[in-house]
Amino acid sequence: MFIGRESELTDINRLYDQNKFHLFVLYGRRRVGKTTFLTEFCKEKDSIFFSAEQSNEKMNLDKFSELIFQHYQENTLEPFTSWENALLYIHRRQTEMPLVLVFDEFPYLAAMNPALLSILQHLIDHTLQNGKLFLVLCGSYVGFMEDQVLSSKSPLYGRRTAQLHMKSFDYHTSIQFLNGFSDEEKLILYGACGGIALYLQQVDHNYTMQENIQNLFLSPTGYLYEEPLLLLRQEVKEPGIYNAIIEAIAGGASKANEIATKTGESSAKCIKYMLTLQELGILEKRTPFGMKSASRKTVYRISDFMFRFWYRYVAGNKTLLETGARKIVWEKKIAPDLNHYMGLVFEQICKEYLLRKNTLGCLPLLFTEIGTWWGNDPEHHTQEEIDLVAGDGSDYLFCECKWNQQPLDIPILTKLRYRADLVNRNRQNTWFVLFSKSGFTQPVEKEAASDGHVILVSLKDILAIK
């Protein structure tokens, strides 16, 4: 069953219906669902779908030629000797009818033949733009696709007619894979697997949430038991160093100098490698709300939930897990810590909720910036933090997100109001949004009923949003 990406599919079909040449660039981290999306798009269309391999150019060109000949039921021709000849052949055969031509894992081809981008530019400018080819270049290495295909220095600059950076699903779409579990269990599974459809599809509805996590992450035969290391080996040349950086961040290092000290690498080298991890969607660089990205308060954190869960609970317990102790690891290592782990996950879920509500125009303001704030309290000489701040000009939403077993009580609101003044005392309109997994105490509900600037959001509200 095809879940999610409906609006993106509508957009790309609208382009196809124009019945003219298009160059569509699709990119995003591995496993995010690009191939599934393109397969769905190609249904009931005349199409050739070529998945490039990490081989040499001749082998790829031979396999591409074979696909072409199968498509046109041609068995008398020799394999093409160049990509240019192959594409010109397709162009000549498609003078009347449109054809979708997909190059999946396009960076593999470009790495073997750096001139390929210029060859495509020449073909588009002089031949292909006059035909009905719907050409798709798809890649998993985000940095390459942005720098070499989409940027102004690329030979293809100005030739693309549409592009899509495909990102992982938010919680709202992800939970559609998890019917049959409780609301809390759905979000825990999302917090472990992230918004990657392929991972969510591995969840077996015949097992409990706990059993699924044990089967996927804690069993040596589990689908996600080695997944982060396998991905790193596929995407980077020195996976050991990248692994060390992620381990350092998972262990509590958040600033560049802390990460460098923990890994034994230079800060400059760590920053370079962390940039690649950001491009892969594994890490994120964060600064306090309202500050520039070059702020000295910049920190790094693991943004991919599957990586975050794996490095927190699997990486350091491999010796136990290799001896079949997955139930003990769950009972002693994961279950007691799970609410703490879910705290950061819940913040992201609340952020996704606000972004969706903002898009629908269902908030008291239309915010243009959202993030976490942290900074000094000069009066009490303490470090303070606000889970989420969203704003537009002098109008603000200040949010507290609590994944606790107890209902959220009035001191949390009082503290949030105090911290809001640390961000900006010269506010015009302010709303305080309280998110709680376990509901709210009567004093908080009474305060919200009497003050229209206090908004309460329960777990049921979060999961019910359309």
Side-chain angles (χ1 to χ4, degrees), residues 212-276:
N212 268 288
I213 289 178
Q214 290 180 38
N215 294 340
L216 290 172
F217 285 94
L218 308 184
S219 169
T221 59
Y223 188 84
L224 299 176
Y225 184 73
E226 297 279 1
E227 179 68 359
L229 301 181
L230 293 174
L231 279 174
L232 289 176
R233 290 174 191 140
Q234 282 182 296
E235 298 291 355
V236 298
K237 293 180 179 178
E238 298 177 282
I241 297 177
Y242 288 95
N243 178 59
I245 289 172
I246 301 172
E247 276 195 5
I249 296 172
S254 60
K255 295 186 177 181
N257 61 334
E258 296 171 348
I259 297 164
T261 299
K262 203 158 187 177
T263 59
E265 304 288 348
S266 69
S267 291
K269 186 173 185 179
C270 284
I271 289 172
K272 176 184 175 182
Y273 281 52
M274 287 189 292
L275 178 60
T276 299

Side-chain angles (χ1 to χ4, degrees), residues 136-174:
V136 180
L137 305 183
C138 179
S140 299
Y141 188 27
V142 174
F144 176 90
M145 297 300 287
E146 289 181 340
D147 295 340
Q148 303 300 317
V149 179
L150 292 172
S151 76
S152 58
K153 66 182 181 183
S154 169
L156 292 178
Y157 183 70
R159 275 77 182 176
R160 58 141 178 100
T161 54
Q163 74 292 314
L164 174 61
H165 182 182
M166 184 172 286
K167 299 180 181 179
S168 57
F169 290 132
D170 66 5
Y171 80 91
H172 180 267
T173 303
S174 297

Side-chain angles (χ1 to χ4, degrees), residues 348-368:
Q348 179 63 29
I349 289 168
C350 296
K351 180 179 178 180
E352 292 169 1
Y353 171 88
L354 288 175
L355 288 167
R356 189 172 282 267
K357 294 281 280 187
N358 198 53
T359 300
L360 296 171
C362 296
L363 294 173
L365 62 82
L366 188 66
F367 64 77
T368 54

Side-chain angles (χ1 to χ4, degrees), residues 154-426:
S154 169
L156 292 178
Y157 183 70
R159 275 77 182 176
R160 58 141 178 100
T161 54
Q163 74 292 314
L164 174 61
H165 182 182
M166 184 172 286
K167 299 180 181 179
S168 57
F169 290 132
D170 66 5
Y171 80 91
H172 180 267
T173 303
S174 297
I175 61 175
Q176 295 178 39
F177 292 86
L178 304 172
N179 293 329
F181 294 94
S182 71
D183 290 348
E184 185 174 336
E185 288 172 340
K186 288 176 182 178
L187 295 185
I188 290 173
L189 287 167
Y190 171 62
C193 297
I196 302 298
L198 185 60
Y199 302 159
L200 294 166
Q201 288 169 343
Q202 308 308 312
V203 174
D204 190 331
H205 296 254
N206 295 311
Y207 293 95
T208 65
M209 177 270 292
Q210 296 95 321
E211 289 169 337
N212 268 288
I213 289 178
Q214 290 180 38
N215 294 340
L216 290 172
F217 285 94
L218 308 184
S219 169
T221 59
Y223 188 84
L224 299 176
Y225 184 73
E226 297 279 1
E227 179 68 359
L229 301 181
L230 293 174
L231 279 174
L232 289 176
R233 290 174 191 140
Q234 282 182 296
E235 298 291 355
V236 298
K237 293 180 179 178
E238 298 177 282
I241 297 177
Y242 288 95
N243 178 59
I245 289 172
I246 301 172
E247 276 195 5
I249 296 172
S254 60
K255 295 186 177 181
N257 61 334
E258 296 171 348
I259 297 164
T261 299
K262 203 158 187 177
T263 59
E265 304 288 348
S266 69
S267 291
K269 186 173 185 179
C270 284
I271 289 172
K272 176 184 175 182
Y273 281 52
M274 287 189 292
L275 178 60
T276 299
L277 289 170
Q278 290 173 70
E279 291 174 347
L280 292 172
I282 297 169
L283 294 187
E284 65 177 345
K285 180 179 177 181
R286 306 178 77 213
T287 52
F289 176 89
M291 291 191 177
K292 296 180 179 179
S293 60
S295 167
R296 287 186 296 175
K297 292 186 176 182
T298 294
V299 297
Y300 295 87
R301 120 176 149 175
I302 302 172
S303 56
D304 184 286
F305 286 165
M306 188 276 294
F307 271 80
R308 189 186 297 176
F309 190 91
W310 193 92
Y311 277 91
R312 189 179 184 110
Y313 298 122
V314 179
N317 293 308
K318 278 292 192 76
T319 301
L320 284 168
L321 295 173
E322 293 288 345
T323 61
R326 61 182 186 175
K327 289 186 178 179
I328 297 298
V329 170
W330 169 264
E331 293 171 0
K332 301 293 185 181
K333 301 287 188 177
I334 300 179
D337 183 64
L338 195 54
N339 280 335
H340 184 251
Y341 171 82
M342 283 298 296
L344 279 177
V345 174
F346 193 51
E347 286 182 21
Q348 179 63 29
I349 289 168
C350 296
K351 180 179 178 180
E352 292 169 1
Y353 171 88
L354 288 175
L355 288 167
R356 189 172 282 267
K357 294 281 280 187
N358 198 53
T359 300
L360 296 171
C362 296
L363 294 173
L365 62 82
L366 188 66
F367 64 77
T368 54
E369 183 180 4
I370 186 170
T372 299
W373 177 89
W374 62 94
N376 297 320
D377 178 355
E379 183 178 344
H380 296 95
H381 306 288
T382 57
Q383 277 284 318
E384 300 292 344
E385 182 173 335
I386 300 177
D387 292 337
L388 289 172
V389 182
D392 178 40
S394 58
D395 296 341
Y396 289 87
L397 293 173
F398 293 97
C399 312
E400 190 72 20
C401 313
K402 291 297 181 186
W403 184 272
N404 290 340
Q405 297 302 111
Q406 301 79 29
L408 190 151
D409 204 357
I410 203 74
I412 300 297
L413 176 58
T414 302
K415 188 175 289 187
L416 183 61
R417 283 170 164 158
Y418 173 79
R419 289 171 174 169
D421 287 339
L422 299 176
V423 180
N424 186 353
R425 290 181 180 273
N426 301 315

